[in-house]
Amino acid sequence: MNQYVVTGGAGFIGSAIVRSLLAEGAGKVVVIDNLLSGREENLEEVRARVELVRADIRDYEAIAPVIRGAAVVFHEAAIPSVPRSITEPIPSHDVNINGTFNVLRAAKEGGAGRVVYAASSSAYGDTEVLPKVEGMAPRPKSPYALQKLVGEYYGTVFADVYGVETVSLRYFNVYGPRQDPSSPYSGVLSLFMKAVLERTQPTIFGDGEQSRDFTYVEDVAGLNLKAARAKNVSGKVYNGGNGGRITLNQAWVLLQKIEGVEIAAKYGPPRAGDVRDSQADTTLAVRDLGHAPRFTFEAGMRATLEWYRTQR
Ligand code: UD2
């Protein structure tokens, strides 16, 4: 029996969950990853205690035996990125919706104990008020946002009609070591880190006054472990943010200050499907899951920048 299964476990967030599970005493963790964006190097320090199953969540027959009997499945495998879902809607639909359905179905058929699902703050879209509270009506603005929301809905329906325990965590712009900065679809802070270390100008889409509740990856991993243990939460959806918000302009100013350089950003046209402001209300996650983020934005940025420096 596989106690803990992490889909997308060779990825940026998935590998952080794997490390946290092992640090908290898990003997072994099973990773399902197709290594499309995940990298085996992300598991380097813990490789001996990880069983890596190279499989795609679109392939039910390949993943079902791995998920069978698991105590907890952390479902992180996805094709992220709002703009990628606009330019490449078919693979992102297939992975994010059909793949998630396969994971839930495998959990149901295989009697898995719980599925903790990586949902997204993008589901809210532009709300009239901040911070964003779980009870607000979702208004997805992109295929990606909609796909992640469908995954949540599926989770809740599987809990209600099949009794599969599911918990959805709406991540708020996760950043930190191992986030891949090599694609135009990469998370903005990873691109900022690369730019500041290479002394090049980052591009900011729009006026840079859009804001995000950037959340450090270790805090998200910690929240996942809490969501795996919490009682009476099945079928529910929780914000996994910090509760603050930072504009892109502020983030770039801070990074220049930390690095001791002055580099003006370039500004480009606003991006289609972009949410203007994002900030989590963490009340429910704190109350029901014991969510307790530890990293201030500056502490997370410093730790992340040091990691990128070591990779050069
Ligand atoms: C969304 C979700 C996030 C997560 C992520 C996965 C929201 C609020 N957040 O992140 O929770 O699910 O999708 O992909 O929907 N930008 C630049 N320059 C660049 C790259 C990006 O200015 O080179 C801007 C971009 O236009 C946006 C902000 O930076 O306003 C953040 O972009 P991102 O791609 O890092 O993440 P975002 O907010 O789409």
Side-chain angles (χ1 to χ4, degrees):
M1 193 191 91
N2 297 323
Q3 184 83 355
Y4 298 111
V5 174
V6 183
T7 74
F12 157 54
I13 300 175
S15 67
I17 294 173
V18 171
R19 277 186 299 279
S20 293
L21 283 166
L22 292 168
E24 290 217 349
K28 187 184 90 169
V29 177
V30 180
V31 162
I32 295 176
D33 206 300
N34 63 1
L35 300 182
L36 212 66
S37 58
R39 299 166 68 226
E40 212 169 332
E41 298 91 284
N42 285 338
L43 294 166
E44 215 160 42
E45 319 95 281
V46 291
R47 191 63 188 83
R49 291 194 286 160
V50 172
E51 183 187 331
L52 175 60
V53 179
R54 191 167 177 175
D56 192 302
I57 57 168
R58 285 169 287 195
D59 182 352
Y60 177 78
E61 302 304 328
I63 66 167
V66 187
I67 287 174
R68 176 168 302 281
V72 185
V73 180
F74 297 89
H75 176 35
E76 311 304 307
I79 297 187
S81 171
V82 166
R84 172 173 279 174
S85 78
I86 293 173
T87 51
E88 300 168 26
I90 298 168
S92 83
H93 176 98
D94 262 359
V95 169
N96 297 342
I97 296 186
N98 299 333
T100 294
F101 175 79
N102 284 341
V103 170
L104 289 167
R105 179 183 160 213
K108 166 191 171 271
E109 300 291 334
R114 182 173 288 193
V115 178
V116 181
Y117 168 65
S120 168
S121 63
S122 58
Y124 287 109
D126 291 318
T127 56
E128 266 133 45
V129 272
L130 295 172
K132 302 187 182 194
V133 188
E134 289 86 341
M136 287 175 170
R139 292 183 189 166
K141 291 181 72 179
S142 63
Y144 170 76
L146 175 68
Q147 291 153 11
K148 280 281 154 182
L149 179 62
V150 170
E152 274 180 24
Y153 283 156
Y154 253 132
T156 302
V157 167
F158 267 66
D160 289 347
V161 306
Y162 300 124
V164 179
E165 284 208 19
T166 64
V167 187
S168 292
L169 302 175
R170 286 185 177 170
Y171 296 164
F172 279 70
N173 290 74
V174 185
Y175 73 101
R178 298 185 177 79
Q179 189 168 30
D180 180 5
S182 67
S183 144
Y185 300 127
S186 298
V188 68
L189 294 185
S190 71
L191 295 169
F192 277 11
M193 299 276 164
K194 185 166 182 267
V196 88
L197 290 172
E198 291 176 353
R199 309 291 193 248
T200 56
Q201 291 180 283
T203 302
I204 291 180
F205 299 127
D207 62 5
E209 287 303 299
Q210 64 268 51
S211 60
R212 294 291 182 267
D213 187 354
F214 291 109
T215 309
Y216 192 63
V217 65
E218 277 184 34
D219 284 333
V220 169
L223 178 62
N224 271 270
L225 267 53
K226 291 183 161 113
R229 288 190 295 254
K231 302 241 182 329
N232 303 318
V233 294
S234 187
K236 298 205 175 135
V237 176
Y238 293 97
N239 285 342
N242 276 305
R245 73 192 171 94
I246 308 280
T247 68
L248 294 190
N249 288 329
Q250 287 170 334
W252 180 242
V253 165
L254 174 66
L255 203 49
Q256 291 173 84
K257 190 192 94 185
I258 294 173
E259 185 64 6
V261 294
E262 272 188 37
I263 306 168
K266 287 186 284 197
Y267 287 82
R271 213 170 67 174
D274 227 23
V275 167
R276 182 69 185 174
D277 296 302
S278 185
Q279 182 181 14
D281 182 313
T282 60
T283 311
L284 278 187
V286 170
R287 188 194 69 188
D288 292 1
L289 307 177
H291 183 36
R294 294 184 304 122
F295 285 82
T296 62
F297 185 59
E298 181 159 346
M301 289 285 272
R302 285 183 184 277
T304 307
L305 185 63
E306 286 322 303
W307 184 83
Y308 282 103
R309 205 189 305 284
T310 64
Q311 299 302 299
R312 286 164 59 76

